[in-house]
Amino acid sequence: MEKADLDFANLDFKYRKVDGNIRYFFKNGQWDNGTLHEEETVDLHIASTCLHYGQNCFEGMKVFETKDGSVVCFRPEENYLRLKKSAEKILMEPVPKEVFFDALERVVKANKRFIPPYGTSASLYIRPILLGISPHIGLSRSEDYLFMMMVTPVGPYFKGGFKPVKMLVAEDLDRAAPYGLGDIKAAGNYAAGLRGAYRAKSTGFTDVIYLDCIHRKFIDESGPANFIGILKDGTFVTPYSGSILPSITNMTLRTIAENEFGWKVEQRPVDINEISNFAEAGCCGTAAIITPVGSIRYRDKDYNFYNEGKDAGPKITALYEHLYKLQYGEIEDKYNWLYKIDVK
Ligand code: PLP
Ligand code: COI
């Protein structure tokens, strides 16, 4: 397969122009058959509900070239289900499963030159986007929708890849409320997260960790990723909260930790004061993969994890390596997580 002229082994998480995207319209109560487009811009009515009232949700998935040369998407069924949940919660028209998978197959095939070769540790990032496009100036839901899938080849989200990052607890900022939209992938949640991300970056941190909005003491998540911790007794803990995104990577890691490694796994409210009892910590997500967290600053005190926060600990490393091998087809896909795409 002839590849695009890119330094695939050194990609960061940035948009790069590819060969095309795919778009489907829902009009008069039905979805069309979708068309591939080369252009990168979208024509929208100026009064579209996605522009004014945030009827806009999306997903993030990755496609990998495996050791045997196959092309696979990691757990897209889960992303399809989460997009459905997001759409329903903000009264949008859910995308039918056939449309979602038709889009995935066609857009990946149309951009096969951009699938990073096996061995480069990169992937093709897939972004499904659903927009309300009917013109309404009063607050109301759209009748018509646009579903698109764009792709772009990427490396790790956090600079440096699998290296410990420094997190800042932002006690005075919230990203999502308990009975709001934190558990879905609504675009507005990311606007709410920008202040935190900028504060972190401008003060020498990688990103922030949000606390729950009611008690302000339980860990929620980071802006772009879920949080995981390894207690000193080896237990894998991750927050349970109504205002965080149920991460597919986190769900995968819980299965690996419990079933493959035989570790104790707990998904429960995690008090921020428990960080003094952590041996290791990390962030996980499709873009973030697994990123070791070396230290957390909370109320002017730095809590360092494995080796003074300088290295990734053994358990976070084991999880990372197992996930890596699974996604690149180096070990058996015993849970059927890899969705094969025929790009010939
Ligand atoms: N939390 C937030 C806020 C996210 O945007 C993401 C990314 O999608 C995640 C967590 C990780 O979820 P997943 O592992 O499904 O990508
Ligand atoms: C993903 O991990 O796929 C996301 O959508 C998070 C985003 C902030 C890059």
Side-chain angles (χ1 to χ4, degrees):
M1 193 194 298
E2 201 186 310
K3 297 284 182 186
D5 183 20
L6 276 178
D7 183 6
F8 284 106
N10 290 302
L11 293 176
D12 43 13
F13 198 85
K14 287 217 174 98
Y15 174 78
R16 281 182 178 77
K17 187 171 169 24
V18 292
D19 287 336
N21 54 77
I22 192 158
R23 307 174 189 193
Y24 301 74
F25 285 92
F26 180 83
K27 284 194 172 155
N28 303 317
Q30 65 185 52
W31 289 96
D32 69 14
N33 292 326
T35 35
L36 283 158
H37 291 251
E38 268 179 42
E39 69 269 24
E40 297 164 284
T41 54
V42 183
D43 236 352
L44 289 174
H45 193 289
I46 196 165
S48 293
T49 65
C50 66
L51 297 178
H52 297 251
Y53 299 127
Q55 271 205 311
N56 177 352
C57 58
F58 70 103
E59 269 305 323
M61 316 189 274
K62 274 181 175 170
V63 159
F64 303 88
E65 188 175 288
T66 61
K67 196 174 177 192
D68 70 0
S70 306
V71 170
V72 299
C73 186
F74 191 67
R75 307 192 76 173
E77 169 94 20
E78 295 297 334
N79 296 87
Y80 152 71
L81 289 170
R82 196 169 63 188
L83 185 67
K84 182 169 185 288
K85 182 177 150 196
S86 297
E88 286 167 350
K89 199 161 180 181
I90 48 177
L91 309 192
M92 300 176 77
E93 182 66 29
V95 176
K97 194 168 174 181
E98 315 77 76
V99 171
F100 189 90
F101 281 89
D102 184 63
L104 176 61
E105 306 243 353
R106 285 166 69 189
V107 81
V108 170
K109 196 168 177 174
N111 291 289
K112 62 184 174 189
R113 298 193 301 128
F114 291 93
I115 304 169
Y118 170 73
T120 57
S121 300
S123 58
L124 187 69
Y125 187 68
I126 318 282
R127 223 343 120 73
I129 308 157
L130 180 63
L131 301 176
I133 56 166
S134 301
H136 288 305
I137 201 63
L139 176 61
S140 55
R141 70 181 291 275
S142 252
E143 292 77 43
D144 297 341
Y145 291 87
L146 169 59
F147 173 60
M148 303 182 283
M149 238 186 234
M150 58 160 262
V151 309
T152 200
V154 296
Y157 185 78
F158 292 121
K159 251 193 239 152
F162 193 67
K163 294 238 179 69
V165 295
K166 286 158 85 176
M167 292 294 192
L168 172 69
V169 175
E171 271 193 278
D172 58 330
L173 296 179
D174 287 321
R175 172 187 178 276
Y179 300 102
L181 304 180
D183 63 338
I184 63 164
K185 225 165 152 56
N189 290 341
Y190 297 81
L194 278 171
R195 292 174 301 170
Y198 272 73
R199 176 188 294 178
K201 281 181 191 102
S202 62
T203 50
F205 296 88
T206 305
D207 215 320
V208 295
I209 287 175
Y210 294 98
L211 299 183
D212 79 283
C213 325
I214 301 175
H215 311 91
R216 314 208 75 75
K217 69 171 194 160
F218 297 107
I219 298 176
D220 256 358
E221 63 175 335
S222 177
N226 271 188
F227 180 79
I228 56 181
I230 307 289
L231 298 182
K232 286 181 180 157
D233 72 3
T235 305
F236 172 115
V237 287
T238 192
Y240 179 82
S241 158
S243 50
I244 67 179
L245 192 74
S247 154
I248 297 157
T249 314
N250 191 338
M251 181 162 69
T252 302
L253 297 182
R254 293 199 301 276
T255 304
I256 294 171
E258 196 158 8
N259 297 3
E260 304 303 309
F261 297 165
W263 300 349
K264 193 169 161 205
V265 170
E266 292 176 354
Q267 189 182 19
R268 56 164 173 81
V270 179
D271 192 309
I272 182 67
N273 291 303
E274 284 187 58
I275 57 176
S276 55
N277 195 26
F278 283 0
E280 300 176 42
C283 274
C284 69
T286 298
I289 318 175
I290 303 175
T291 304
V293 171
S295 67
I296 297 178
R297 178 167 299 174
Y298 174 53
R299 297 193 172 164
D300 295 328
K301 185 168 175 216
D302 288 322
Y303 294 80
N304 295 321
F305 307 115
Y306 190 75
N307 194 18
E308 299 299 310
K310 291 194 207 92
D311 295 307
K315 292 206 152 181
I316 292 290
T317 304
L319 289 167
Y320 175 83
E321 285 176 353
H322 197 92
L323 181 65
Y324 183 99
K325 287 180 188 159
L326 246 170
Q327 292 180 325
Y328 289 100
E330 294 176 7
I331 53 176
E332 189 201 343
D333 175 27
K334 75 184 213 198
Y335 299 97
N336 256 320
W337 285 336
L338 304 185
Y339 178 87
K340 217 165 170 170
I341 299 173
D342 182 5
V343 294
K344 300 258 156 56

